Amino acid sequence: MLTNVGVEVKYVIGKGVITNFPGSQKMIYKAELDFDCHKSLSLFLLKDVQNAAEIREMVTKGTLHCCVIKPCLIVHPFQIVIAANKAVISKMQDRMTTRTLSTEILYNLSISRNITQSLMKFGIGESDKTMLVSIIEEAGENRSEIILSHFKGVLCPIEELCNFSDEVLIKMAYKIKDSELEVSSLTDSIITRIVTSDFTSV
C-alpha cells in the first residue's frame, strides 16, 4: 500500500491507486520528452519504502517498467529529464548502450562510461528507503497507478527532493569543484556533463 502525504493531510491510497486529492498535483513532476518520440516522463518521490529488494528484482527482471533512482544524487528533476530524453532518442535510433530504458537512464545520469559502475551508483540498493521512480509513457498512456501500486512506502511532494539530495556526494559523483560553482549553478554544471558525456569519458 502506498501512502500519499499531502501538504497538510495524509491520505492513504487504497490498493495503491492514486486519486486526484487536493494538492496531489505536487506529487508528480511531469515532462514531455523529444517531440519525435511521442513520450512523456513522470517522476515520483517515495520515502520509507519497505520493499526495495523486491522492487529492484522486478525492475532488473523487466517485470516492472520504470527506472528507480537514488535521490541523494539528484539535485533537480531536470537532471533525470535530460538523461531520459537521451535514452528514448537512443532507443528510437536503435543505439542504446544498455539493454533497457531504465538502465539507459541510469547510465546517462553518470559521467562514467562504465556501465556496471553507473548502474550501481545511481540505481537503488536492496536496503534503500528513499527513491525516485521515473516512468516513461507513450502519448495518452497512463501506467503510473499500476506501477506505483507495487511500492510499499510514502509518496512525497516532489518539492521535498531537496531534503534527500546530498550536495557533497553529488559534487563527488560529477567531479564538480567549488570554484566552478562561482560561475555556474550546481544544476547547470550537472546538465552540461550529462549532455556532453557521449564526447567525454571518466
Side-chain angles (χ1 to χ4, degrees), residues 79-136:
Q79 190 176 337
I80 299 174
V81 173
I82 296 299
N85 201 58
K86 288 182 65 176
V88 296
I89 291 174
S90 293
K91 183 174 183 180
M92 182 177 66
Q93 298 175 344
D94 196 24
R95 294 172 53 192
M96 288 206 304
T97 302
T98 66
R99 295 182 179 180
T100 67
L101 267 180
S102 62
T103 53
E104 194 75 4
I105 293 172
L106 295 175
Y107 177 71
N108 288 340
L109 281 170
S110 175
I111 60 173
S112 170
R113 298 301 83 189
N114 183 297
I115 296 175
T116 302
Q117 289 180 5
S118 300
L119 304 191
M120 289 181 63
K121 179 174 288 186
F122 285 88
I124 62 165
E126 294 185 350
S127 60
D128 284 359
K129 300 296 183 184
T130 60
M131 54 195 68
L132 281 160
V133 181
S134 172
I135 303 171
I136 293 179

Side-chain angles (χ1 to χ4, degrees), residues 23-164:
S24 64
Q25 67 274 11
K26 294 184 179 181
M27 296 295 167
I28 180 175
Y29 180 95
K30 197 171 183 69
E32 297 298 322
L33 300 178
D34 187 87
F35 178 78
D36 292 334
C37 298
H38 305 290
K39 297 181 187 295
S40 64
L41 171 75
S42 297
L43 190 64
F44 300 87
L45 176 64
L46 284 82
K47 67 178 182 181
D48 299 332
V49 178
Q50 304 301 313
N51 62 331
E54 176 188 355
I55 293 297
R56 188 170 184 269
E57 182 179 5
M58 292 176 69
V59 172
T60 301
K61 289 183 176 180
T63 57
L64 189 61
H65 299 289
C66 62
C67 179
V68 190
I69 305 159
K70 291 177 181 173
C72 64
L73 293 176
I74 305 299
V75 70
H76 191 280
F78 194 59
Q79 190 176 337
I80 299 174
V81 173
I82 296 299
N85 201 58
K86 288 182 65 176
V88 296
I89 291 174
S90 293
K91 183 174 183 180
M92 182 177 66
Q93 298 175 344
D94 196 24
R95 294 172 53 192
M96 288 206 304
T97 302
T98 66
R99 295 182 179 180
T100 67
L101 267 180
S102 62
T103 53
E104 194 75 4
I105 293 172
L106 295 175
Y107 177 71
N108 288 340
L109 281 170
S110 175
I111 60 173
S112 170
R113 298 301 83 189
N114 183 297
I115 296 175
T116 302
Q117 289 180 5
S118 300
L119 304 191
M120 289 181 63
K121 179 174 288 186
F122 285 88
I124 62 165
E126 294 185 350
S127 60
D128 284 359
K129 300 296 183 184
T130 60
M131 54 195 68
L132 281 160
V133 181
S134 172
I135 303 171
I136 293 179
E137 298 169 312
E138 300 283 349
E141 190 178 19
N142 185 6
R143 295 182 291 110
S144 296
E145 294 180 357
I146 296 173
I147 291 173
L148 290 177
S149 69
H150 293 279
F151 291 80
K152 299 176 182 177
V154 177
L155 184 62
C156 306
I158 198 69
E159 291 91 340
E160 291 186 10
L161 174 59
C162 59
N163 297 332
F164 302 102

